[in-house]
Amino acid sequence: YNDDDDNDDEEDEDDFQNRDYDVTRSGVNYSNTVYTEYNYRFASKGFISLGARASHYSVVNDYFIEPRINLELPISPYFRLKGTFEKRFQPISQLVEFEDIQLRLENNIWTLSNGMDIPVLESSQYSGGLLMNAGGWTLDVDGYRKNITGLTSFTNGFITAPTNLTKGESSIIGADVLVRKKWNFYHIWIGYTFNEVEYTFPELQSTAFPGNNDITHNLRLANTYDDAHWQFSLGWSYRTGSPFTTVSDFDPNTNRINYGAINSERLPAYHRLDASALYKFKISSGGFRGELGASVKNIYARRVPISVFYRLDTNLNTGDVELNQIQQLSQGLTPNVVLRFYF
């Protein structure tokens, strides 16, 4: 938290008035849909599923066709290949909000499409992968690509733009890997996700930039021991820091804020180690039982910023308007104790 004790907790009222923008809308959408699906199973225990959905949305008075394909083929007793393709349309949009003070995507603003400044969302997704089950080991690998057009951003002064509502698109490339193994009472698994999200809003920035949810690497390690009376677990998680936009210059005379490239900086990587122990016991022969346990989250008490935003404050001593960067920190060392009874 980077702030001055002499600053109050309210933004300049004139600044709020200058940034007010009414996005109140009302509307009704009637949806009529027809769906068909064909499934075929091969002698090798593989299958293919073909489907299509046709919809009419009254809010834009148009028809939309959504094809879908799902395929899974065994290539050996232990390995299976899988692949999917689907196209989807959605007549309601969640606006991607870039406020000029709160830069992160925080407020959920939903609105119906109107076919003009708020188009119907269209997404196309392709995925393929490999599934293995052998000797108690499970391996699941998936790669995917998703393209979305018709995104709408509510800029509200975030950057020089001809209108408050701007149109854009996103491209997502990712992969998921899961490895799991079980030996009697002991279970271990490793999960990894690669995710690259890229936004393109030409009216906001001439070049593409990372999306608010662009968490490039996400790794999870966990192992548990679970028998009739005891359960122990130890897990570690790691993820890349979120992207954020920095302020390049601030003029205290005009309260004008100039920003750098959108989401061009990243917060520090986040990681933590968690552990727990649980004892299971019977209260009586009538089936009553209980559990007593304890856990500790973030054992090494590492705290890092998980979000950053900026705030205009008035210095009570000088009366000057100052721009402060506010950091929300991750949770520190957190112990927990639990006692449960089952009747």
Side-chain angles (χ1 to χ4, degrees):
Y1 178 86
N2 181 15
D3 202 355
D4 192 326
D5 290 338
D6 294 333
N7 293 335
D8 62 22
D9 292 334
E10 296 182 359
E11 297 180 24
D12 185 75
E13 292 182 0
D14 293 335
D15 181 68
F16 263 124
Q17 294 171 0
N18 293 335
R19 295 190 294 118
D20 282 348
Y21 181 74
D22 186 6
V23 293
T24 301
R25 296 171 181 262
S26 63
V28 177
N29 176 60
Y30 295 100
S31 175
N32 298 285
T33 301
V34 177
Y35 182 81
T36 182
E37 185 177 30
Y38 173 76
N39 294 300
Y40 180 79
R41 292 194 172 273
F42 303 101
S44 59
K45 297 184 179 181
F47 71 88
I48 183 171
S49 175
L50 304 175
R53 188 172 73 171
S55 301
H56 175 267
Y57 300 130
S58 65
V59 71
V60 291
N61 192 25
D62 204 353
Y63 295 88
F64 301 90
I65 306 296
E66 300 174 322
R68 300 173 187 180
I69 301 173
N70 187 12
L71 174 67
E72 191 169 306
L73 294 174
I75 56 177
S76 80
Y78 308 109
F79 291 91
R80 300 174 72 87
L81 293 176
K82 52 184 180 178
T84 63
F85 164 76
E86 64 178 353
K87 180 180 285 290
R88 292 179 179 268
F89 295 91
Q90 183 173 292
I92 185 172
S93 296
Q94 179 181 348
L95 302 188
V96 181
E97 185 181 7
F98 297 103
E99 293 183 7
D100 54 353
I101 298 299
Q102 177 85 24
L103 297 182
R104 303 287 304 145
L105 172 61
E106 295 291 344
N107 298 326
N108 295 327
I109 304 176
W110 293 88
T111 183
L112 280 173
S113 302
N114 57 19
M116 295 179 291
D117 55 347
I118 304 180
V120 173
L121 286 175
E122 178 182 350
S123 71
S124 300
Q125 179 168 325
Y126 312 82
S127 67
L130 174 70
L131 179 64
M132 182 205 78
N133 282 292
W137 286 92
T138 297
L139 172 66
D140 194 350
V141 180
D142 277 299
Y144 56 88
R145 181 181 182 91
K146 185 174 184 178
N147 298 311
I148 303 176
T149 59
L151 292 176
T152 305
S153 170
F154 177 54
T155 61
N156 196 19
F158 171 74
I159 199 168
T160 302
T163 61
N164 287 85
L165 298 176
T166 59
K167 291 181 286 188
E169 59 186 39
S170 71
S171 175
I172 304 172
I173 298 176
D176 296 322
V177 179
L178 173 65
V179 180
R180 185 170 54 197
K181 171 64 175 176
K182 187 173 184 179
W183 297 272
N184 295 323
F185 303 117
Y186 182 66
H187 182 203
I188 185 172
W189 63 273
I190 302 172
Y192 169 74
T193 297
F194 170 81
N195 188 54
E196 188 175 82
V197 183
E198 189 176 76
Y199 281 174
T200 302
F201 283 88
E203 293 176 308
L204 297 182
Q205 185 168 289
S206 59
T207 58
F209 54 91
N212 293 337
N213 57 337
D214 180 40
I215 307 299
T216 312
H217 304 286
N218 196 327
L219 177 66
R220 302 163 301 281
L221 309 174
N223 58 108
T224 62
Y225 175 87
D226 191 358
D227 63 18
H229 296 288
W230 289 98
Q231 182 185 88
F232 300 98
S233 66
L234 182 67
W236 186 75
S237 60
Y238 168 93
R239 68 174 177 84
T240 306
S242 302
F244 72 100
T245 306
T246 58
V247 171
S248 60
D249 181 59
F250 170 64
D251 187 344
N253 297 317
T254 62
N255 292 348
R256 179 176 176 81
I257 306 171
N258 295 316
Y259 302 92
I262 303 175
N263 286 346
S264 58
E265 300 291 334
R266 283 191 179 272
L267 297 173
Y270 171 84
H271 54 83
R272 76 169 196 247
L273 179 67
D274 303 331
S276 67
L278 187 70
Y279 176 68
K280 296 170 283 187
F281 56 91
K282 289 185 178 181
I283 301 176
S284 68
S285 59
F288 301 118
R289 57 189 177 89
E291 294 177 345
L292 175 63
S295 66
V296 180
K297 291 185 178 181
N298 196 5
I299 292 177
Y300 45 76
R302 184 173 186 266
R303 303 191 71 192
V304 296
I306 57 176
S307 72
V308 169
F309 63 95
Y310 297 88
R311 188 178 68 192
L312 288 176
D313 292 318
T314 301
N315 190 299
L316 297 180
N317 293 327
T318 65
D320 296 333
V321 176
E322 300 175 345
L323 181 70
N324 292 299
Q325 184 189 77
I326 311 300
Q327 296 183 351
Q328 180 183 1
L329 299 180
S330 58
Q331 194 173 24
L333 177 71
T334 308
N336 294 280
V337 177
V338 61
L339 176 61
R340 300 191 187 101
F341 295 102
Y342 299 92
F343 301 97

